[in-house]
């Protein structure tokens, strides 16, 4: 089961749009819901007014679970919701109880975050797989969102668990980022052994990149900033490549690159 939550964990909706994309492009159906009243502050996650066929309807924040059939050999479940405001422990327990009802053997949480990265390079993606955590996970201490809490609860229940986070350039604001959604779909496809049709997202990602480049060209300060980010990105990529080849002094190169990046970000 994959899980994505709107809000703090969902920069440019890159994570929640993974679920929306799958629901739209593959055979899917709603199979479960979690009642919203106990978990949301309606002054934060407000209900929406909707008029359909002359009738007025209120759409309340809620958690929806989907069954998604990718092909004959691949069937997944997806959970999507605004991040709850209250009772996270109870919420996660209910979520995992539904997962167990569906015979789910593992949970993959998705997230996206604003970060210092250039739009001209592949967006950084961090994957934490079960007990084997990525470098960022080992170093991070601080506030977490509901994806991290659900991931930890899944581990405590003995489920396979993984998390996937994509970084979004913070200088581009809050518009949707198809490039980030594509990166998460690519990581998810690699995990489950499936190649997603992302042709529609490819077009949107190119448009996003072109619009970002126009914005940068119109602002000299922003140009300098992006050039700086590109330099940092390329330096780290070079150090990682050296490390993967086992070249002499590779470990030192990686440490120097990471120390340099931390210093620039402080």
């Amino acid at each position: 089961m994959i899980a994505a939550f709107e809000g703090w964990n969902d920069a440019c909706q890159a994570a929640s749009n993974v679920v929306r994309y799958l629901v739209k492009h593959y055979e899917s159906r709603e199979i479960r819901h979690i009642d919203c009243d106990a978990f949301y502050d309606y002054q934060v996650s407000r209900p929406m007014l909707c008029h359909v066929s002359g009738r007025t309807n209120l759409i309340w924040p809620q958690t929806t679970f989907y069954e998604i059939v990718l092909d004959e050999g691949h069937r997944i479940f997806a959970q999507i919701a605004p991040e709850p405001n209250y009772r996270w422990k109870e919420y996660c327990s209910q979520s995992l109880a539904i997962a167990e009802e569906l015979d789910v053997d593992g949970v993959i949480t998705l997230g996206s975050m604003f970060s210092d990265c250039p739009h001209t390079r592949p967006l950084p993606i961090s994957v934490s797989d079960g007990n084997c955590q990525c470098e960022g996970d080992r170093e991070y201490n601080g506030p977490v969102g509901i994806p991290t809490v659900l991931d930890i609860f899944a581990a405590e229940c003995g489920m396979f668990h993984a998390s996937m986070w994509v970084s979004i350039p913070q200088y581009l604001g809050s518009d949707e980022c198809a490039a980030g959604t594509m990166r998460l779909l690519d990581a998810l496809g690699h995990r489950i052994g499936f190649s997603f049709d992302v042709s529609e997202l490819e077009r949107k990602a190119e448009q996003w990149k072109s619009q970002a480049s126009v914005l940068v060209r119109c602002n000299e300060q922003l140009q300098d900033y992006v050039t700086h980010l590109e330099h940092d990105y390329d330096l780290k990529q070079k150090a990682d490549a050296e490390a993967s080849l086992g070249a002499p002094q590779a470990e030192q190169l990686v440490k120097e690159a990471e120390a340099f990046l931390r210093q620039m970000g402080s």
Side-chain angles (χ1 to χ4, degrees):
M1 183 177 76
I2 63 173
F5 299 90
E6 301 164 355
W8 189 69
N9 321 275
D10 192 28
C12 293
Q13 302 178 61
S16 59
N17 277 347
V18 169
V19 176
R20 296 188 186 96
Y21 192 83
L22 295 178
V23 168
K24 178 182 177 182
H25 288 83
Y26 296 93
E27 181 184 343
S28 63
R29 63 188 181 99
E30 293 185 22
I31 54 172
R32 296 283 195 286
H33 296 92
I34 293 179
D35 181 62
C36 54
D37 285 345
F39 301 111
Y40 291 104
D41 177 349
Y42 294 135
Q43 290 182 320
V44 177
S45 299
R46 292 185 178 271
M48 302 293 291
L49 191 64
C50 180
H51 294 89
V52 179
S53 301
R55 297 184 60 184
T56 301
N57 299 282
L58 278 173
I59 309 230
W60 296 90
Q62 70 172 354
T63 300
T64 304
F65 293 82
Y66 292 93
E67 178 184 34
I68 303 171
V69 179
L70 304 176
D71 62 20
E72 292 184 359
H74 294 85
R75 180 174 64 112
I76 61 175
F77 298 99
Q79 173 182 7
I80 184 171
E83 182 177 53
N85 304 110
Y86 306 122
R87 301 175 179 167
W88 282 15
K89 294 179 181 179
E90 180 183 345
Y91 181 86
C92 289
S93 295
Q94 286 195 29
S95 298
L96 294 175
I98 291 174
E100 290 180 356
E101 288 177 18
L102 299 172
D103 291 327
V104 165
D105 59 3
V107 174
I108 299 175
T109 55
L110 307 177
S112 54
M113 57 186 173
F114 288 115
S115 183
D116 294 321
C117 58
H119 72 280
T120 53
R121 302 291 190 269
L123 297 181
I125 191 158
S126 171
V127 178
S128 175
D129 190 348
N131 294 322
C132 180
Q133 295 183 313
C134 62
E135 186 68 26
D137 291 333
R138 288 197 299 268
E139 293 182 353
Y140 179 74
N141 293 284
V144 297
I146 195 71
T148 303
V149 176
L150 182 61
D151 191 52
I152 291 172
F153 268 59
E156 292 175 350
C157 289
M159 286 186 176
F160 163 81
H161 57 99
S163 63
M164 299 176 179
W165 286 78
V166 65
S167 295
I168 309 292
Q170 62 181 359
Y171 56 87
L172 293 181
S174 58
D175 290 340
E176 291 188 12
C177 180
T181 300
M182 280 182 58
R183 288 285 281 164
L184 287 171
L185 279 169
D186 180 65
L188 178 62
H190 181 74
R191 158 57 55 194
I192 67 175
F194 185 81
S195 179
F196 294 105
D197 176 10
V198 294
S199 54
E200 180 181 319
L201 284 175
E202 287 175 343
R203 293 190 294 272
K204 291 182 178 180
E206 283 301 317
Q207 183 180 22
W208 170 84
K209 186 175 179 180
S210 297
Q211 291 173 340
S213 295
V214 170
L215 175 66
V216 170
R217 284 198 298 269
C218 294
N219 186 315
E220 186 173 341
Q221 273 190 316
L222 193 53
Q223 286 184 43
D224 292 340
Y225 176 63
V226 173
T227 299
H228 171 75
L229 293 179
E230 290 172 337
H231 176 267
D232 292 350
Y233 186 101
D234 293 342
L235 178 63
K236 188 173 188 309
Q237 289 296 108
K238 181 180 179 181
D240 289 344
E242 292 281 358
S244 67
L245 295 173
Q249 299 180 325
E251 183 177 353
Q252 184 62 30
L253 282 172
V254 173
K255 289 181 179 178
E256 290 175 358
E258 290 176 342
F260 174 76
L261 294 177
R262 285 194 295 270
Q263 181 182 1
M264 297 305 297
S266 61

